[in-house]
Amino acid sequence: MASPHFDIVARLREIAENGQRSDQRVAAAVLEDADFATHASIERLAEKAGVSEPTITRFCRMLGFEGTRDFKVGLAQSLAIAGRFISVNPADASTGNGVPSIIASSAMNAIETVTGLINRADLDQAATIVAGAGMVRAYGSGGASSMAATELENRLFRLGLPAAAHIDGEMQQMTAATSNKDTVIVAYSLSGEVKPVIDAVTIAGRYGAKTIAFTAANSSLAAAAQLILPFHIEEGTNVYRPSPARYALLALTDMLAMSVAEKIGAPAVERMRRIKNLQGMQKSDAPNLPLGD
Amino acid sequence: MASPHFDIVARLREIAENGQRSDQRVAAAVLEDADFATHASIERLAEKAGVSEPTITRFCRMLGFEGTRDFKVGLAQSLAIAGRFISVNPADASTGNGVPSIIASSAMNAIETVTGLINRADLDQAATIVAGAGMVRAYGSGGASSMAATELENRLFRLGLPAAAHIDGEMQQMTAATSNKDTVIVAYSLSGEVKPVIDAVTIAGRYGAKTIAFTAANSSLAAAAQLILPFHIEEGTNVYRPSPARYALLALTDMLAMSVAEKIGAPAVERMRRIKNLQGMQKSDAPNLPLGD
DNA sequence: TCTTCAAATGTAATTTAATTTCATGCAAGC
DNA sequence: GCTTGCATGAAATTAAATTACATTTGAAGA
């Protein structure tokens, strides 16, 4: 088995709080010294956690790994990316000191997770559909989804594609009703259970639009849309902590937009050059700044 | 032993060309399917490479690892980000195939950079100022900055702080003119040279507002604001590629918001519980979803 | 061309690690 | 207070990796 498609660290934190007694111990032991966990034998790890060896194996299986070895590899991968930000004791996490690392690690993990999960073929197909669209409408409500929808509009219009983001339920449904077969809907939802978005996708589909959804597999939205780009981000329980899911959605949106840009090719480059040129005239020159401040 | 401090992949390529006969075979086998190499047993790997099992162990030792297990972990770490997409021909990297990894690695880089750069004391001071504000106004224009400004509003209002984002130059200047000493301005700009934002910050400062800026050090905006949280993200030259800076700004905003939440403490938790509760009543229940879809 | 010897590699035995099976004990429900 | 089912651990088993030792290979000098 390859790495499972979730944020291991977030999952471990979750289990350390709400899991079985032994699972809690194991999760805590792993979090306390993740590097040790990747290198130590099951025996020493069991000893450190104060549980038996089979418990470790079961723990790994529960997480979706094939076994202990597999878990270690998966953990090592997660650590390679964001590991240096894992704070040793949770006390750190509650003081200001740990804030940057918590943010960084959860964001990176979210991006990593979603990168592992994305199906390239589906992404490519979505990009083809979007690149050939007469009109693209991006739907999403709530913080993360609406940000992603807005961002998609932003990206696509720069590529010369007619695109609009609608983050209001009423507008989603009304615009959906104007769809035809040249319309492409891109819907965002973490839960996949936001009624206005589901309805809008259903309506648009009925009018012949192609519908793409970034959402949870097996959700109502997934059922309503034609092409699903599924993802799932484990949320922590720390209420202070912002949702890492927005990084995931942003990354997915970037991937789609970049794929679309590559499909469109040269004309897109020219358009971006024009926008950049325009900015150059207005602001002081800083040639290496991105499009849009 | 932890992972050795060199580029495993480069070393493998080297060995595949100039190593011992068996080492060449092993290196080639690993490069050909690195993912397999991290997961397979020494037996199957030996079989694939056409060598004996001890050769594999010796190979790993030669590379500086403790043994085969250790090597697998190290390899997994090296592969974590870009390596998963190691392919025999580099051409792949520029086609659609590499899109997810390009996005992921540049985003992570941006977040990591900004995490390393942030001054905790300044962040903390900014959080204190924001937490005690009578009104917070977030300014930013262009894609990344306006997203960050919007996001800050989003975050702060959930904490019960009066906050508004203004992404339009006119509005920035008009609202700035209504400032008083209880007003806090948070300005975003990648370049630090966006005139309306600079002007708005200057005006607000003149009326007694406290001004905070996330922007480039030594820029005009940095000169105009009172507290600077400087950052700089190197932009790539691939025009198709979206700016990773927005991940950096988002992360910075998250850090600020989380620090503010911790300063406010309990009341903030209660407010978030209420918002979550409200969502629970409207949507189908998914207890672990973030605030805002 | 033939030795000779050292380095490279393989075979089989051994050790170490991980997993399965089965037993025990604890807690929730009747 | 009994029963049932699940969590956990002990011991046995299996799988994996390593060591010790044997064989091969190939290069250098006779």
Side-chain angles (χ1 to χ4, degrees):
Chain A
M1 156 173 303
S3 359
H5 305 305
F6 57 84
D7 177 343
I8 297 182
V9 175
R11 190 76 197 281
L12 287 174
R13 290 212 175 98
E14 167 70 20
I15 290 169
E17 286 196 6
N18 308 323
Q20 291 294 336
R21 193 182 57 104
S22 331
D23 290 343
Q24 284 186 8
R25 289 190 196 165
V26 178
V30 172
L31 285 174
E32 194 195 316
D33 190 347
D35 205 54
F36 171 83
T38 58
H39 293 287
S41 72
I42 195 171
E43 189 185 357
R44 278 181 294 171
L45 186 55
E47 187 185 1
K48 179 182 162 78
V51 300
S52 71
E53 297 175 27
T55 299
I56 304 280
T57 297
R58 279 189 284 258
F59 178 85
C60 299
R61 296 252 169 84
M62 177 195 65
L63 286 171
F65 292 94
E66 224 174 56
T68 306
R69 285 178 230 272
D70 197 40
F71 167 73
K72 285 188 200 165
V73 170
L75 184 64
Q77 282 181 334
S78 294
L79 294 179
I81 296 153
R84 79 207 77 141
F85 299 119
I86 291 181
S87 74
V88 175
N89 59 354
D92 267 13
S94 60
T95 71
N97 252 357
V99 167
S101 15
I102 290 173
I103 300 292
S105 70
S106 61
M108 287 178 160
N109 269 311
I111 293 168
E112 161 66 9
T113 302
V114 103
T115 304
L117 193 56
I118 189 91
N119 178 318
R120 306 240 188 118
D122 288 348
L123 178 66
D124 199 64
Q125 198 192 336
T128 305
I129 293 171
V130 169
M135 178 70 198
V136 181
R137 297 194 184 279
Y139 296 155
S141 34
S145 297
S146 61
M147 167 189 284
T150 306
E151 187 60 15
L152 186 64
E153 172 188 357
N154 219 315
R155 282 288 154 66
L156 295 183
F157 101 81
R158 287 183 192 160
L159 300 176
L161 285 169
H166 303 286
I167 62 179
D168 167 67
E170 292 294 320
M171 281 302 290
Q172 287 163 0
Q173 302 197 5
M174 291 195 303
T175 54
T178 69
S179 302
N180 60 39
K181 68 177 173 30
D182 291 328
T183 306
V184 173
I185 304 294
V186 180
Y188 292 91
S189 174
L190 300 184
S191 63
E193 304 297 342
V194 178
K195 193 138 190 317
V197 173
I198 300 166
D199 289 350
V201 166
T202 307
I203 292 166
R206 214 173 280 151
Y207 285 107
K210 293 171 189 90
T211 55
I212 302 169
F214 289 99
T215 193
N218 305 319
S219 64
S220 308
L221 179 55
Q226 291 155 15
L227 178 59
I228 317 300
L229 296 163
F231 75 99
H232 174 72
I233 297 294
E234 194 74 26
E235 294 293 325
T237 51
N238 180 345
V239 288
Y240 289 145
R241 181 163 137 190
S243 157
R246 60 197 65 217
Y247 294 92
L249 277 185
L250 201 50
L252 287 170
T253 301
D254 272 351
M255 291 173 197
L256 178 59
M258 188 169 170
S259 301
V260 171
E262 290 185 340
K263 293 221 178 292
I264 295 178
V269 179
E270 169 59 16
R271 264 185 212 96
M272 284 199 258
R273 197 194 55 72
R274 278 194 232 161
I275 294 174
K276 190 129 190 171
N277 200 37
L278 182 72
Q279 289 184 321
M281 291 190 289
Q282 291 178 339
K283 299 176 192 175
S284 79
D285 288 290
N288 216 20
L289 285 174
L291 294 176
D293 192 68
Chain B
M1 156 172 301
S3 356
H5 305 300
F6 57 85
D7 180 344
I8 296 181
V9 175
R11 190 76 195 283
L12 288 175
R13 291 217 171 93
E14 165 71 20
I15 292 169
E17 287 198 2
N18 308 323
Q20 291 294 337
R21 192 183 58 103
S22 332
D23 290 342
Q24 284 186 8
R25 288 190 196 166
V26 177
V30 171
L31 285 174
E32 194 197 313
D33 189 347
D35 205 55
F36 172 82
T38 58
H39 292 287
S41 74
I42 196 172
E43 189 186 357
R44 278 181 293 172
L45 186 55
E47 187 186 359
K48 178 182 163 82
V51 301
S52 71
E53 298 175 27
T55 300
I56 304 282
T57 297
R58 281 189 284 258
F59 178 86
C60 298
R61 295 251 168 84
M62 178 196 63
L63 285 172
F65 293 96
E66 226 174 55
T68 307
R69 285 177 230 274
D70 199 38
F71 167 72
K72 285 189 201 165
V73 170
L75 184 63
Q77 282 178 333
S78 295
L79 298 180
I81 299 173
R84 182 166 325 136
F85 310 106
I86 286 183
S87 80
V88 181
N89 58 355
D92 270 11
S94 60
T95 71
N97 253 355
V99 166
S101 56
I102 290 173
I103 300 291
S105 61
S106 64
M108 289 185 191
N109 251 311
I111 292 169
E112 197 182 323
T113 303
V114 103
T115 304
L117 221 53
I118 188 94
N119 179 318
R120 305 246 180 118
D122 288 349
L123 178 66
D124 199 64
Q125 198 192 334
T128 305
I129 292 170
V130 170
M135 178 69 198
V136 181
R137 296 193 185 279
Y139 296 156
S141 34
S145 297
S146 61
M147 167 190 282
T150 306
E151 187 60 17
L152 186 65
E153 171 187 357
N154 218 314
R155 281 288 154 66
L156 295 182
F157 102 80
R158 286 183 191 160
L159 300 176
L161 285 169
H166 302 287
I167 61 179
D168 167 68
E170 292 295 318
M171 281 302 289
Q172 287 163 1
Q173 301 197 7
M174 292 196 301
T175 55
T178 69
S179 301
N180 61 38
K181 68 176 173 31
D182 291 328
T183 306
V184 174
I185 304 294
V186 180
Y188 293 91
S189 174
L190 300 183
S191 63
E193 304 297 342
V194 179
K195 193 137 190 318
V197 173
I198 300 166
D199 289 349
V201 166
T202 307
I203 293 165
R206 213 174 279 152
Y207 285 108
K210 294 170 187 91
T211 54
I212 301 169
F214 288 100
T215 193
N218 306 320
S219 64
S220 307
L221 179 56
Q226 293 153 16
L227 177 60
I228 317 301
L229 295 164
F231 74 99
H232 175 71
I233 298 294
E234 199 65 36
E235 293 293 326
T237 50
N238 179 346
V239 287
Y240 289 146
R241 179 161 137 190
S243 157
R246 59 198 66 218
Y247 294 94
L249 276 185
L250 200 50
L252 288 170
T253 301
D254 272 351
M255 290 173 198
L256 178 59
M258 188 169 170
S259 300
V260 170
E262 290 185 342
K263 294 222 177 291
I264 296 178
V269 179
E270 170 58 15
R271 261 184 215 97
M272 284 199 259
R273 197 194 57 72
R274 278 194 233 159
I275 295 173
K276 190 130 192 172
N277 201 37
L278 182 71
Q279 290 184 320
M281 291 188 287
Q282 292 177 339
K283 300 176 191 174
S284 81
D285 288 289
N288 218 19
L289 286 174
L291 294 176
D293 191 67

